[in-house]
Amino acid sequence: VERATRRKVAIKHIIRRTAADDKFVAQAETEFAVSQAIDHPVLRKCHEIVRIRKWLKVSELFLIMEYVEGETLEQLCPDRMADIVALFIKVADGLNAMHRAGYAHCDVKPINILLMENHEPKIIDFGQSCALGTVKERIQGTPDYIAPEQLERKPIDHRTDIYNLGATMYWVVTGKAFATKMQVAPVGTKKIEVDARRGSEPPHELNPKVPLALSSLILECCEEGPEARPRDMKQVIARLEVAQHLSERNEEKLPRPVRPAPDRTEPE
C-alpha cells in the first residue's frame, strides 16, 4: 500500500544474481515500456519502475503495477457461453489497443487473463511483448498457445496474438489444448520437441453448445499461416459479436469441463 495515497499496488521484484537473470530484468523493462505506451482498461497498468544499480548494472528492480483483485481464466471462467464470448470481446478489444499502439502481446493464454469480481477481464504480463514486425533472437511462448511464427522465429505481428487468442478460446470452450506445433517433453526435463501435429477437432464437435460461428472463428484464428487468419482484431470482435448473439438464444449453462492446467514451460 502506497503510504501517501493509500493506493494498493502489486510489486514485481527481480534480483539479478548472474548473467542468466538478465532476461528477467529485460522482460520487466519491456513490460513497463509497453504499459506506458498504452492506456486501456483491459490492460494492466504499470505505475513506476525502480532500478537499483551496482557497478553500473541493474542488480535489483521493482516494477510497481496496478493491483488486480481476481483469479485467472484458468481458475475461473463464466458458465454461460454468451458470457464467455462477451469476455473474449473485451479481451480482443484490449489486444486491439496494443496493436494500434504498435505492439503484440505474444503470450496470450488463460493464466495471463485475470477475471475480477465483476467478471471484467484484465490482461497481464507484457514481458514477452514486442513491436510489430520484430524477429526475436530466441523462441518465446507457451506450448498449447504458441503460434507457428513464434516457434520458427519469423516476424511477429498482430496475427500472432490472434493465434494465441484462438488457442485460448479453444481451451476455454472445449477443456482441451489446441494441437500447436510445440510439444513438451515429460515433466522435469527442459527438452522441447517440434512435431508435425496439425489442427484439432472443431470446438462444436467437442462441445455442442459452441455455436458454429464461434467454432469456425476459433479454428480460423489458429490457422498455421498468418495470412489465413482474420485480418485484425476488429474482424475478430465483429465475428465474436455474431457468436454472442447466437449464444444468447441458448440460456442453458455450459457444463464446466475438467480442464487440465496448461503446461507453463517456456522455451529458452
Side-chain angles (χ1 to χ4, degrees), residues 219-257:
L219 291 180
E220 286 183 36
C221 287
C222 295
E223 285 283 357
E224 182 171 352
E227 67 285 347
R229 301 170 202 160
R231 67 175 180 270
D232 54 31
M233 278 296 174
K234 282 188 176 181
Q235 188 176 70
V236 171
I237 292 169
R239 293 179 61 178
L240 283 171
E241 288 172 345
V242 172
Q244 183 184 28
H245 175 71
L246 296 172
S247 299
E248 286 172 348
R249 295 178 181 177
N250 184 355
E251 293 295 332
E252 292 182 21
K253 286 191 174 181
L254 172 69
R256 190 186 299 274

Side-chain angles (χ1 to χ4, degrees), residues 49 55 63 78 108 111 145 197 232 250:
I49 190 167
W55 304 112
L63 187 59
V108 179
I111 64 170
Y145 306 99
R197 290 186 299 166
D232 54 31
N250 184 355

